[in-house]
Amino acid sequence: MEHASEHAVGRAVEYAKLFRLDGRRVAVVGGAGGIGREVVCALAAHGAEVIVADLDAAGAAAAAEAAAAEPSAPGSRTGTATACPLDVLDEDAVRAAADRWGALDGLVVTAGVNVRKRITDYTAAEFDRVLALNLRAAFTLVRAVAPAMAERGRGSVVGLASMRAFQVEPGQSAYAASKAGLVQFLRTAAAEWGPRGVRFNAIAPGVVRTPLTDQIAADPQWYDAYAQASALRRWARADEIAGAAVYLVSDASTFVTGSVLTVDGGWTAVDGRFEPTL
């Protein structure tokens, strides 16, 4: 009870501001479209100064413009968003960008790619491309920004993993491996930088309607099968993933690190292929 009392009389928490990001600088890598664009808008709506980094310069600029137009809560201000063209597979470019950004309060890595083929049909070049963008890019980005966060004693890094890090299907070999690797990489980073106040977490979405899932959406049977597999019996919208990123960057999650936040509509919690009569 003594320890509980000591904690209770510690610093006061302003719960109304728990998710606010006013004055905080957050880079969203892969922010030009899909989930990344929605994360940019959500962070800006909560007051963050967002850097929209993407190889697609025009898309990054459009996302920054959309974020600037995003309304904030009554009595609060909308943050800012600035486009930053960036090739995350160019290590020198990443280091130079990190130097320009200065010390970040948050980094959200949403860049990713998938090539759906059975293992025997995969080429080595395709395998390397998936692993490079989904895993090595995070390695490069973390090495570029985490030391400065550690010097300040704070920071939050969020990586977009996938439910495929835990549950697979034919045709997902390289993608699933890269996302499982990302989860373990972020957990290791959490262990290494935790003593210096830097947090690392992953978000694991289920099926989300973005350009990355165009191949599935084009097949009505495939689309419907995926919709019926989760507890909510539908696909996610990209904006439904953005709140998880805001949470993990904000002070609402200051004791959350080394974790995976699953946002999959209950897919991994249920067996959606058969519903028995009870």
Side-chain angles (χ1 to χ4, degrees):
M1 291 299 296
E2 180 181 355
H3 293 296
S5 298
E6 288 175 358
H7 177 74
V9 297
R11 72 180 186 86
V13 177
E14 294 185 77
Y15 288 115
K17 298 181 179 179
L18 210 54
F19 293 90
R20 292 298 303 174
L21 299 168
D22 301 279
R24 300 192 188 183
R25 183 177 299 167
V26 184
V28 179
V29 179
I35 294 172
R37 180 186 172 107
E38 299 300 329
V39 169
V40 167
C41 290
L43 292 170
H46 284 78
E49 299 171 7
V50 186
I51 299 164
V52 189
D54 203 291
L55 184 63
D56 178 2
E65 185 175 344
E70 192 70 28
S72 189
S76 300
R77 69 174 185 85
T78 299
T80 62
T82 306
C84 174
L86 179 65
D87 180 357
V88 292
L89 300 183
D90 183 338
E91 293 188 30
D92 291 336
V94 170
R95 285 193 292 268
D99 289 341
R100 292 195 304 273
W101 298 341
L104 296 174
D105 298 290
L107 169 69
V108 183
V109 184
T110 69
V113 67
N114 192 3
V115 176
R116 293 181 178 85
K117 288 184 177 181
R118 291 182 180 268
I119 294 170
T120 54
D121 297 327
Y122 243 92
T123 66
E126 288 169 335
F127 182 88
D128 289 344
R129 176 179 169 231
V130 172
L131 269 290
L133 192 56
N134 293 359
L135 183 55
R136 182 164 63 83
F139 168 77
T140 302
L141 286 158
V142 166
R143 281 162 52 91
V145 307
M149 290 180 172
E151 287 181 8
R152 300 172 69 197
R154 67 181 188 276
S156 175
V157 176
V158 180
L160 262 289
S162 168
M163 69 176 184
R164 293 300 175 210
F166 315 105
Q167 187 184 64
V168 303
E169 67 180 9
Q172 299 274 30
S173 59
Y175 183 79
S178 69
K179 294 302 185 178
L182 177 62
V183 166
Q184 294 300 79
F185 171 71
L186 292 171
R187 284 172 168 165
T188 305
E192 293 186 1
W193 272 292
R196 301 190 66 184
V198 186
R199 299 183 295 112
F200 295 81
N201 293 286
I203 298 171
V207 288
V208 185
R209 190 63 194 95
T210 71
L212 195 65
T213 54
D214 281 346
Q215 179 184 359
I216 304 169
D219 183 325
Q221 284 188 307
W222 200 352
Y223 182 93
D224 186 61
Y226 271 27
Q228 296 304 314
S230 74
L232 295 181
R233 296 293 194 263
R234 66 177 178 84
W235 287 50
R237 303 185 310 272
D239 63 274
E240 292 181 295
I241 313 300
V246 172
Y247 164 69
L248 290 172
V249 172
S250 75
D251 284 349
S253 61
T254 51
F255 204 61
V256 179
T257 194
S259 295
V260 182
L261 178 52
T262 303
V263 189
D264 67 354
W267 183 309
T268 53
V270 303
D271 182 353
R273 292 170 293 178
F274 176 65
E275 188 169 324
T277 300
L278 300 176

